[in-house]
Amino acid sequence: MIGDYRQDSELNDEILAGLTDSQMQAVTHVDGPLLILAGPGSGKTRVITHRIAYMLSQGIHASEIVALTFTNKAADEVRARVANLAPGRRLWTSTFHRFCARLLRQFAPLAALETMLGAASEGIEAACVSEAEGMAQLFGSPINRALLNVFFLSDRNKKDTGIDRGDVKPAEVKSLAVYGAGIMGSSIGAAAVKVSMPVALSDTREEALAQGVEHLLEEVSYSKEKKGPDIQRTLKFAPLVNPTHSDAEMAHCDIVLEAVVENVDVKKQLYARVEPLLGGEALLATNTSTIPIERLAADLKHPDRFVGIRFFNPVRKMPLVEVIRGPQTSDQTVATAVAFAKRLRKSPIVVFDGPGFLVNRCLFPYLNEALHLLQDGASPDAVERAAKDFGMPMGPLTLYDVIGLDTAVYAGRVMYDCFPERCEPTQLILTMVKQKRLGQKTGSGFYRYDDKKGRGKPDPEFAKLLEPLAKSPDRKFSKDELTHRLFLPMLLEATRVLEEKKVRDPRDVDLGLIYGIGFPPFRGGLLYWADQVGAGQILEWLKPLADCGPRLQPTQMLKDMAQSGAKFYG
């Protein structure tokens, strides 16, 4: 039997009946004509050959046709017949099972499940052989190579000292002080206490300090084995926590880190009070996510000992720490901050000072483009699905609701002030903030949150709000267009980060986005993914998006790479 089972309905039942679920998933990934020959026999190979010849005469390129047989002999016969009928037209053929195995390299969980099910009735030796054969089929696939790249990124990060010289050693950090006992401050304190580092915690409000200590102790007392609090852990770690209102006690620590409100004046007033009390080697650090380090360090007497140490929320789960280097931050300060983050079992990357630093700077264009898509007529469901199909842990609209739209607007304003030509806020988000639709914190944003589990549900009120702002409410977007609109702005911003030398190595961008925003590891990283696509192809993807303006215009770096054939991983 021959035919494209997706187009020829009379063949469906018989062909589909012989396919496993994973084989079905494999063949559905074929974009062009798919022909399947069931069983040997010259008559059947002759028929499939004539069908292929007819396709070629109709202008279908040979490279678009996938011809599958169930034996190697039949595959060889088809190739030979096509060569006689259409000289010079190379045809790709394969046995059906080998083809599915190659495609299934993309589906490791399915391959693992098939191996387990197949080996369940076998003896131990046969099962081990099946496992080895299944592993061999997966090794070397694109996803396997991408995940290996992530492993190498992580391994490189473990060895990185944060500076490019070997004569500077980090200072020893024996204690930490944290100003600001909110969720972020207390979580940073908990990360330090978990590694037996004494922590002093302070806040201007007594109630906030008490709540912060309670949250810190709850976090450090949690036992994975008991799946709840362990009183022994509480007794072990509680003596390491010092809640205090004394600046002198705080300044006695080796690192004094503030996690107070994102307000320049508030932070500077704190620095003016604390810096004179610090020891000769103590570091002053900020957990700011938006304010430039240079601006915060402007009035300090020792800007060389000032650094950004930015943790990500929730601290207990997020491995990334951005170590932000200001213009006057010393090498030893950077090395000490990196070593401190690693002691807390985090993965620090060094970023030079600039708007949005690294993660927020690359994240904002992605989030902002999602809003432009909504205003251009895309449905919220389509935008969310495109992001998740690409591999993101959640869609951009859900992420907005988690972050809080007011917080997003504040961070976006920083980007707009620096890059107004490509970071203009949409009317949609401004309207939502005005109507107090701020996301999960208010129970409504892009979605409605009214159940105990906090899961978002479609909200008719949001649909009413969006309707007058949508330029073309009935416009249909292809999956590729949605994907390109979402992820190419992120990629373009990453090339600007590299052009401005805000990171020491392109690999820092990839690890930062994997650990910081959940960029899909199976794609190897943003820049690794771009290398697999190729700069030339990315320029082609950008051409139909030229009407979107500066935010989707190719950078000079990308143009140069396309011309020279260079790659980010060079």
Coordinates of all heavy atoms in Angstrom, one line a residue, residues 231-316:
I231 N 11.7 20.5 63.3 CA 12.1 21.2 64.4 C 13.6 21.2 64.7 O 14.2 22.2 65.2 CB 11.3 20.7 65.7 CG1 11.6 21.7 66.9 CG2 11.7 19.3 66.0 CD1 11.1 23.1 66.7
Q232 N 14.2 20.1 64.3 CA 15.7 20.0 64.5 C 16.4 21.0 63.6 O 17.4 21.5 64.0 CB 16.1 18.5 64.2 CG 15.6 17.5 65.2 CD 16.0 17.8 66.6 OE1 17.1 18.2 66.9 NE2 15.0 17.7 67.5
R233 N 15.9 21.2 62.4 CA 16.5 22.2 61.5 C 16.3 23.6 62.1 O 17.2 24.4 62.0 CB 15.9 22.1 60.1 CG 16.4 20.8 59.4 CD 15.7 20.8 58.0 NE 16.2 21.9 57.1 CZ 17.3 21.9 56.4 NH1 18.1 20.8 56.4 NH2 17.5 22.9 55.6
T234 N 15.1 23.8 62.6 CA 14.9 25.1 63.2 C 15.8 25.4 64.4 O 16.4 26.5 64.5 CB 13.4 25.2 63.8 OG1 12.5 24.8 62.7 CG2 13.1 26.6 64.3
L235 N 16.0 24.4 65.2 CA 16.9 24.6 66.4 C 18.4 24.7 65.9 O 19.2 25.5 66.5 CB 16.8 23.4 67.3 CG 15.5 23.2 68.0 CD1 15.4 21.9 68.8 CD2 15.2 24.4 69.0
K236 N 18.7 24.1 64.8 CA 20.1 24.2 64.3 C 20.4 25.6 63.7 O 21.5 26.1 63.9 CB 20.3 23.1 63.2 CG 21.6 23.2 62.5 CD 21.7 22.2 61.4 CE 23.0 22.3 60.6 NZ 23.1 21.3 59.5
F237 N 19.4 26.1 62.9 CA 19.7 27.3 62.2 C 19.3 28.6 62.9 O 19.8 29.7 62.6 CB 19.0 27.3 60.8 CG 19.6 26.3 59.9 CD1 18.8 25.3 59.3 CD2 20.9 26.3 59.6 CE1 19.4 24.3 58.4 CE2 21.5 25.4 58.7 CZ 20.7 24.4 58.1
A238 N 18.3 28.6 63.8 CA 17.8 29.8 64.5 C 18.9 30.6 65.1 O 18.9 31.9 65.0 CB 16.7 29.4 65.5
P239 N 19.9 30.0 65.8 CA 21.0 30.9 66.4 C 21.8 31.7 65.4 O 22.5 32.6 65.8 CB 21.9 29.8 67.1 CG 21.0 28.7 67.3 CD 20.1 28.6 66.1
L240 N 21.7 31.3 64.1 CA 22.4 32.1 63.1 C 21.7 33.3 62.6 O 22.3 34.1 61.9 CB 22.7 31.2 61.8 CG 23.5 29.9 62.1 CD1 23.6 29.1 60.8 CD2 25.0 30.3 62.5
V241 N 20.5 33.5 63.0 CA 19.7 34.7 62.6 C 19.7 35.8 63.7 O 19.3 35.5 64.8 CB 18.2 34.2 62.3 CG1 17.4 35.4 61.7 CG2 18.3 33.1 61.3
N242 N 20.0 37.0 63.3 CA 20.1 38.1 64.2 C 19.2 39.2 63.7 O 19.6 40.1 62.9 CB 21.5 38.6 64.4 CG 21.6 39.9 65.2 OD1 20.7 40.1 66.1 ND2 22.6 40.7 65.0
P243 N 17.9 39.3 64.1 CA 17.0 40.4 63.8 C 17.5 41.7 64.6 O 17.6 41.6 65.8 CB 15.6 39.9 64.2 CG 15.9 38.9 65.2 CD 17.2 38.3 65.0
T244 N 17.7 42.8 63.9 CA 18.2 43.9 64.6 C 17.8 45.2 63.9 O 17.5 45.3 62.7 CB 19.8 43.8 64.7 OG1 20.3 45.0 65.4 CG2 20.4 43.8 63.3
H245 N 17.8 46.3 64.7 CA 17.6 47.7 64.1 C 18.9 48.5 64.3 O 19.0 49.6 64.0 CB 16.5 48.4 64.9 CG 15.2 47.8 64.7 ND1 14.5 47.9 63.5 CD2 14.3 47.1 65.5 CE1 13.3 47.3 63.5 NE2 13.2 46.8 64.8
S246 N 20.0 47.8 64.7 CA 21.3 48.5 64.9 C 22.1 48.5 63.6 O 22.5 47.4 63.1 CB 22.1 47.8 66.0 OG 23.4 48.2 66.1
D247 N 22.4 49.6 63.1 CA 23.3 49.7 61.9 C 24.7 49.2 62.2 O 25.4 48.7 61.4 CB 23.4 51.2 61.4 CG 22.1 51.7 60.8 OD1 21.3 50.8 60.3 OD2 21.9 52.9 60.7
A248 N 25.2 49.4 63.5 CA 26.5 49.0 63.9 C 26.6 47.4 63.8 O 27.6 46.9 63.3 CB 26.8 49.4 65.3
E249 N 25.6 46.7 64.2 CA 25.6 45.3 64.1 C 25.5 44.8 62.7 O 26.2 43.9 62.3 CB 24.4 44.7 64.9 CG 24.4 44.8 66.4 CD 23.3 44.2 67.1 OE1 22.7 43.2 66.5 OE2 22.9 44.6 68.2
M250 N 24.8 45.5 61.9 CA 24.7 45.2 60.4 C 26.0 45.4 59.7 O 26.5 44.6 59.0 CB 23.6 46.1 59.8 CG 22.2 45.8 60.3 SD 21.5 44.2 59.8 CE 21.0 44.6 58.1
A251 N 26.7 46.6 60.0 CA 27.9 46.9 59.4 C 29.1 46.0 59.8 O 30.1 46.0 59.1 CB 28.2 48.4 59.7
H252 N 28.9 45.3 60.8 CA 30.0 44.4 61.3 C 30.1 43.2 60.3 O 31.1 42.5 60.3 CB 29.6 43.9 62.7 CG 30.7 43.0 63.3 ND1 31.9 43.5 63.6 CD2 30.7 41.7 63.5 CE1 32.7 42.5 64.1 NE2 31.9 41.4 64.1
C253 N 29.2 43.0 59.4 CA 29.2 41.8 58.5 C 30.1 42.1 57.3 O 30.4 43.2 57.0 CB 27.8 41.5 58.0 SG 26.7 41.0 59.4
D254 N 30.5 41.0 56.6 CA 31.4 41.1 55.5 C 30.7 41.6 54.2 O 31.4 42.2 53.4 CB 32.0 39.7 55.2 CG 32.8 39.2 56.4 OD1 33.6 40.0 57.0 OD2 32.7 38.0 56.8
I255 N 29.5 41.3 54.1 CA 28.7 41.8 53.0 C 27.4 42.4 53.6 O 26.7 41.7 54.3 CB 28.3 40.8 51.9 CG1 29.6 40.3 51.1 CG2 27.3 41.4 50.9 CD1 29.3 39.3 50.0
V256 N 27.1 43.7 53.2 CA 25.9 44.3 53.6 C 25.1 44.5 52.3 O 25.5 45.3 51.4 CB 26.1 45.7 54.3 CG1 24.8 46.4 54.6 CG2 26.9 45.5 55.6
L257 N 24.0 43.8 52.2 CA 23.2 43.8 51.0 C 21.8 44.4 51.3 O 21.1 44.1 52.2 CB 23.0 42.4 50.5 CG 22.3 42.2 49.1 CD1 22.9 41.0 48.4 CD2 20.8 42.0 49.3
E258 N 21.4 45.4 50.5 CA 20.0 46.0 50.7 C 19.1 45.4 49.6 O 19.4 45.3 48.5 CB 20.1 47.5 50.6 CG 20.6 48.2 49.4 CD 19.6 48.3 48.3 OE1 18.4 47.9 48.5 OE2 20.0 48.7 47.2
A259 N 17.9 45.1 50.1 CA 16.8 44.7 49.3 C 15.5 45.5 49.6 O 14.5 44.9 49.8 CB 16.5 43.2 49.5
V260 N 15.8 46.8 49.7 CA 14.7 47.7 50.1 C 13.9 48.1 48.8 O 14.2 47.7 47.7 CB 15.2 48.9 50.9 CG1 15.9 48.4 52.1 CG2 16.1 49.8 50.0
V261 N 12.9 49.0 49.0 CA 12.1 49.4 47.9 C 12.9 50.0 46.7 O 14.0 50.6 47.0 CB 11.1 50.5 48.4 CG1 11.8 51.7 48.9 CG2 10.0 50.8 47.3
E262 N 12.4 49.8 45.5 CA 13.2 50.3 44.3 C 13.0 51.8 44.2 O 12.3 52.3 43.3 CB 12.7 49.6 43.1 CG 13.1 48.2 42.9 CD 14.6 48.1 42.5 OE1 15.4 48.1 43.4 OE2 14.9 48.0 41.3
N263 N 13.7 52.6 45.0 CA 13.6 54.0 45.0 C 15.0 54.5 45.3 O 15.7 54.2 46.3 CB 12.7 54.5 46.1 CG 12.5 56.0 46.2 OD1 13.5 56.7 46.5 ND2 11.4 56.5 45.8
V264 N 15.6 55.3 44.4 CA 16.9 55.8 44.4 C 17.2 56.5 45.7 O 18.2 56.3 46.4 CB 17.3 56.7 43.2 CG1 18.7 57.2 43.4 CG2 17.2 55.9 41.9
D265 N 16.3 57.4 46.1 CA 16.5 58.3 47.3 C 16.6 57.4 48.5 O 17.4 57.6 49.4 CB 15.5 59.3 47.4 CG 15.6 60.4 46.3 OD1 16.7 60.6 45.7 OD2 14.5 61.0 45.9
V266 N 15.7 56.5 48.6 CA 15.6 55.6 49.8 C 16.9 54.8 49.9 O 17.5 54.7 51.0 CB 14.4 54.6 49.8 CG1 14.5 53.6 50.9 CG2 13.1 55.4 49.9
K267 N 17.4 54.3 48.8 CA 18.6 53.5 48.8 C 19.8 54.4 49.2 O 20.7 54.0 50.0 CB 18.8 52.8 47.5 CG 17.8 51.7 47.2 CD 18.1 51.1 45.8 CE 17.0 50.1 45.4 NZ 17.1 48.8 46.2
K268 N 19.9 55.5 48.6 CA 21.1 56.4 48.9 C 21.1 56.9 50.3 O 22.2 57.0 50.9 CB 21.0 57.6 47.9 CG 21.5 57.3 46.5 CD 21.7 58.5 45.7 CE 22.4 58.3 44.4 NZ 22.7 59.5 43.6
Q269 N 19.9 57.1 50.9 CA 19.9 57.5 52.3 C 20.4 56.4 53.2 O 21.2 56.6 54.2 CB 18.5 57.8 52.7 CG 18.0 59.2 52.1 CD 16.5 59.4 52.3 OE1 15.9 58.7 53.1 NE2 15.9 60.3 51.6
L270 N 20.1 55.1 52.8 CA 20.6 54.0 53.6 C 22.1 53.9 53.5 O 22.8 53.7 54.4 CB 19.9 52.7 53.1 CG 20.4 51.4 53.7 CD1 20.2 51.3 55.2 CD2 19.8 50.2 53.0
Y271 N 22.6 54.0 52.2 CA 24.1 53.9 52.0 C 24.8 55.0 52.8 O 25.9 54.7 53.4 CB 24.4 54.1 50.5 CG 23.8 53.1 49.6 CD1 23.6 53.4 48.2 CD2 23.3 51.9 50.1 CE1 23.0 52.5 47.4 CE2 22.7 51.0 49.2 CZ 22.5 51.3 47.8 OH 21.9 50.4 47.0
A272 N 24.3 56.2 52.8 CA 25.0 57.3 53.5 C 25.1 57.0 55.0 O 26.0 57.4 55.7 CB 24.2 58.6 53.3
R273 N 24.1 56.3 55.5 CA 24.1 56.0 57.0 C 25.0 54.8 57.3 O 25.6 54.8 58.3 CB 22.6 55.6 57.3 CG 22.3 55.7 58.8 CD 20.8 55.5 59.0 NE 20.5 54.1 58.9 CZ 19.5 53.6 58.3 NH1 18.7 54.3 57.6 NH2 19.2 52.3 58.3
V274 N 25.1 53.8 56.4 CA 25.8 52.6 56.7 C 27.2 52.6 56.2 O 28.1 52.0 56.9 CB 25.0 51.4 56.0 CG1 25.8 50.1 56.2 CG2 23.6 51.3 56.6
E275 N 27.5 53.2 55.1 CA 28.9 53.1 54.5 C 30.0 53.5 55.5 O 31.0 52.8 55.6 CB 29.0 53.9 53.2 CG 30.4 53.6 52.5 CD 30.7 54.5 51.3 OE1 30.1 55.6 51.3 OE2 31.5 54.1 50.5
P276 N 29.8 54.6 56.2 CA 30.9 55.0 57.2 C 31.2 54.0 58.3 O 32.3 54.0 58.9 CB 30.4 56.3 57.7 CG 29.4 56.8 56.8 CD 28.8 55.6 56.2
L277 N 30.2 53.1 58.5 CA 30.4 52.1 59.6 C 31.1 50.8 59.1 O 31.4 50.0 59.9 CB 29.0 51.8 60.2 CG 28.2 52.9 60.7 CD1 26.9 52.4 61.2 CD2 29.0 53.7 61.8
L278 N 31.2 50.6 57.8 CA 31.7 49.4 57.3 C 33.2 49.2 57.5 O 34.0 50.1 57.6 CB 31.5 49.3 55.7 CG 30.0 49.3 55.3 CD1 30.0 49.3 53.7 CD2 29.3 48.1 55.8
G279 N 33.6 47.9 57.6 CA 35.0 47.6 57.8 C 35.8 47.8 56.5 O 35.2 48.0 55.4
G280 N 37.1 47.7 56.6 CA 38.0 48.0 55.5 C 37.8 47.2 54.2 O 38.1 47.6 53.1
E281 N 37.3 45.9 54.4 CA 37.1 45.0 53.2 C 35.7 44.7 53.0 O 35.4 43.9 52.1 CB 38.0 43.8 53.4 CG 39.5 44.0 53.4 CD 40.2 42.7 53.4 OE1 39.6 41.6 53.5 OE2 41.5 42.7 53.2
A282 N 34.8 45.2 53.8 CA 33.4 44.8 53.7 C 32.8 45.4 52.4 O 33.2 46.5 51.9 CB 32.6 45.4 54.8
L283 N 31.9 44.7 51.8 CA 31.2 45.1 50.5 C 29.8 45.6 50.8 O 29.1 45.1 51.7 CB 31.1 43.9 49.6 CG 32.4 43.2 49.1 CD1 32.0 42.2 48.0 CD2 33.4 44.1 48.7
L284 N 29.5 46.6 50.1 CA 28.1 47.2 50.1 C 27.5 46.7 48.8 O 28.0 46.9 47.7 CB 28.1 48.7 50.2 CG 26.7 49.4 50.3 CD1 26.0 48.9 51.5 CD2 26.9 50.9 50.4
A285 N 26.3 46.1 48.9 CA 25.7 45.5 47.7 C 24.2 45.9 47.6 O 23.6 46.2 48.6 CB 25.9 44.0 47.7
T286 N 23.7 45.8 46.4 CA 22.3 46.1 46.2 C 21.6 45.0 45.4 O 22.3 44.4 44.5 CB 22.1 47.4 45.4 OG1 20.7 47.6 45.1 CG2 22.8 47.4 44.0
N287 N 20.4 44.7 45.7 CA 19.6 43.7 45.0 C 18.7 44.3 43.9 O 17.8 43.7 43.5 CB 18.8 42.8 46.0 CG 18.1 41.7 45.3 OD1 18.8 40.8 44.7 ND2 16.8 41.6 45.3
T288 N 19.0 45.6 43.5 CA 18.1 46.2 42.6 C 18.0 45.5 41.3 O 18.9 44.8 40.8 CB 18.7 47.6 42.3 OG1 17.8 48.3 41.4 CG2 20.0 47.6 41.6
S289 N 16.8 45.6 40.7 CA 16.6 44.9 39.4 C 16.5 45.9 38.3 O 16.4 45.4 37.1 CB 15.2 44.1 39.5 OG 14.2 45.0 39.8
T290 N 16.5 47.2 38.6 CA 16.3 48.1 37.5 C 17.3 49.3 37.6 O 17.6 49.9 36.5 CB 14.9 48.7 37.5 OG1 14.6 49.2 38.8 CG2 13.9 47.6 37.2
I291 N 17.7 49.8 38.8 CA 18.4 51.0 38.9 C 19.9 50.9 38.6 O 20.5 50.0 39.1 CB 18.3 51.6 40.3 CG1 16.8 51.7 40.7 CG2 18.9 53.0 40.4 CD1 16.5 52.1 42.1
P292 N 20.5 51.7 37.7 CA 21.9 51.5 37.3 C 22.8 51.6 38.5 O 22.6 52.5 39.4 CB 22.1 52.7 36.4 CG 20.8 53.0 35.8 CD 19.8 52.7 36.9
I293 N 23.8 50.8 38.6 CA 24.8 50.8 39.7 C 25.5 52.1 39.7 O 25.8 52.6 40.8 CB 25.8 49.6 39.5 CG1 25.0 48.3 39.5 CG2 26.8 49.6 40.6 CD1 24.2 48.0 40.7
E294 N 25.9 52.7 38.6 CA 26.6 53.9 38.6 C 25.8 55.0 39.3 O 26.4 55.8 40.0 CB 26.9 54.3 37.1 CG 27.7 55.6 37.0 CD 28.0 56.0 35.5 OE1 27.3 55.4 34.6 OE2 28.9 56.7 35.3
R295 N 24.5 55.0 39.1 CA 23.7 56.1 39.7 C 23.6 55.9 41.2 O 23.7 56.8 42.0 CB 22.3 56.0 39.1 CG 21.3 57.1 39.6 CD 20.0 57.0 38.9 NE 19.1 58.0 39.3 CZ 17.8 58.0 39.0 NH1 17.3 57.1 38.2 NH2 17.0 59.0 39.5
L296 N 23.5 54.6 41.7 CA 23.5 54.4 43.1 C 24.8 54.6 43.8 O 24.9 55.0 44.9 CB 23.0 52.9 43.3 CG 21.6 52.6 43.0 CD1 21.4 51.1 43.2 CD2 20.6 53.4 43.8
A297 N 25.9 54.5 43.0 CA 27.2 54.6 43.6 C 27.7 56.0 43.6 O 28.8 56.3 44.1 CB 28.2 53.7 42.9
A298 N 27.0 57.0 43.0 CA 27.4 58.3 42.7 C 28.0 59.0 44.0 O 29.0 59.8 43.9 CB 26.3 59.1 42.1
D299 N 27.4 58.8 45.1 CA 27.8 59.6 46.3 C 28.6 58.8 47.3 O 28.9 59.2 48.4 CB 26.5 60.2 47.0 CG 25.7 61.1 46.1 OD1 26.4 61.8 45.4 OD2 24.5 61.0 46.2
L300 N 29.0 57.6 46.9 CA 29.7 56.7 47.8 C 31.2 57.1 47.9 O 31.8 57.5 46.9 CB 29.6 55.2 47.4 CG 28.3 54.6 47.5 CD1 28.3 53.2 46.9 CD2 27.7 54.6 48.9
K301 N 31.8 56.9 49.1 CA 33.2 57.2 49.3 C 34.1 56.1 48.7 O 35.2 56.3 48.3 CB 33.5 57.4 50.7 CG 33.0 58.7 51.3 CD 33.4 59.0 52.7 CE 33.1 60.3 53.3 NZ 32.0 61.0 52.7
H302 N 33.5 54.9 48.7 CA 34.2 53.7 48.2 C 33.4 53.0 47.1 O 33.0 51.8 47.3 CB 34.6 52.7 49.3 CG 35.5 53.3 50.4 ND1 36.8 53.6 50.2 CD2 35.2 53.8 51.6 CE1 37.3 54.1 51.3 NE2 36.3 54.3 52.1
P303 N 33.2 53.6 45.9 CA 32.4 52.9 44.9 C 33.1 51.6 44.4 O 32.4 50.8 43.8 CB 32.3 54.0 43.8 CG 33.5 54.9 44.0 CD 33.7 54.9 45.5
D304 N 34.4 51.5 44.6 CA 35.1 50.3 44.2 C 34.6 49.1 45.0 O 34.7 47.9 44.5 CB 36.6 50.4 44.4 CG 37.0 50.8 45.8 OD1 36.4 51.7 46.4 OD2 37.8 50.1 46.4
R305 N 34.0 49.3 46.2 CA 33.5 48.2 47.0 C 32.0 48.1 46.9 O 31.4 47.5 47.8 CB 34.0 48.3 48.4 CG 35.5 48.0 48.6 CD 35.9 47.9 50.0 NE 36.2 49.1 50.6 CZ 35.8 49.6 51.8 NH1 34.9 48.8 52.5 NH2 36.2 50.7 52.3
F306 N 31.4 48.6 45.9 CA 29.9 48.6 45.7 C 29.6 47.7 44.5 O 30.2 47.9 43.4 CB 29.4 50.0 45.5 CG 27.9 50.1 45.4 CD1 27.1 49.7 46.5 CD2 27.3 50.4 44.2 CE1 25.7 49.8 46.3 CE2 25.9 50.5 44.1 CZ 25.1 50.2 45.1
V307 N 28.6 46.9 44.6 CA 28.3 45.9 43.5 C 26.8 45.5 43.6 O 26.2 45.6 44.6 CB 29.2 44.7 43.6 CG1 28.9 43.9 44.9 CG2 29.1 43.8 42.4
G308 N 26.3 45.2 42.4 CA 25.0 44.6 42.4 C 25.0 43.1 42.5 O 25.8 42.5 41.9
I309 N 24.2 42.6 43.5 CA 24.1 41.1 43.6 C 22.6 40.8 43.5 O 21.9 40.9 44.5 CB 24.7 40.6 44.9 CG1 26.1 41.0 45.1 CG2 24.6 39.1 45.0 CD1 26.8 40.6 46.4
R310 N 22.1 40.6 42.3 CA 20.7 40.5 42.1 C 20.2 39.0 42.1 O 20.6 38.2 41.2 CB 20.4 41.1 40.7 CG 18.8 41.2 40.6 CD 18.4 41.2 39.2 NE 17.0 41.1 39.1 CZ 16.3 40.9 37.9 NH1 16.9 40.8 36.8 NH2 15.0 40.7 37.9
F311 N 19.4 38.7 43.1 CA 18.8 37.4 43.1 C 17.5 37.4 42.4 O 16.9 38.5 42.2 CB 18.6 36.9 44.6 CG 19.8 36.7 45.4 CD1 20.6 37.7 45.9 CD2 20.3 35.4 45.6 CE1 21.8 37.4 46.6 CE2 21.4 35.1 46.3 CZ 22.2 36.1 46.8
F312 N 17.0 36.2 42.1 CA 15.7 36.1 41.3 C 14.7 35.4 42.2 O 15.0 34.5 43.0 CB 15.9 35.4 40.0 CG 16.6 36.2 39.0 CD1 18.0 36.4 39.1 CD2 16.0 36.8 37.9 CE1 18.7 37.1 38.2 CE2 16.7 37.6 37.0 CZ 18.0 37.8 37.1
N313 N 13.4 35.8 42.1 CA 12.4 35.3 42.9 C 11.6 34.2 42.2 O 11.3 34.3 41.0 CB 11.4 36.5 43.2 CG 10.4 36.2 44.3 OD1 10.8 35.4 45.3 ND2 9.2 36.7 44.3
P314 N 11.3 33.1 42.9 CA 11.7 32.8 44.3 C 13.1 32.3 44.5 O 13.6 31.5 43.7 CB 10.7 31.6 44.7 CG 10.4 31.0 43.3 CD 10.5 32.0 42.3
V315 N 13.8 32.9 45.4 CA 15.2 32.7 45.6 C 15.6 31.2 45.8 O 16.6 30.7 45.3 CB 15.8 33.5 46.8 CG1 17.2 33.2 47.1 CG2 15.6 35.0 46.5
R316 N 14.7 30.5 46.5 CA 15.0 29.1 46.8 C 15.0 28.2 45.6 O 15.6 27.1 45.6 CB 14.0 28.5 47.8 CG 12.6 28.4 47.3 CD 11.6 27.9 48.4 NE 10.3 27.7 47.9 CZ 9.4 28.6 47.6 NH1 9.7 29.9 47.9 NH2 8.2 28.4 47.2

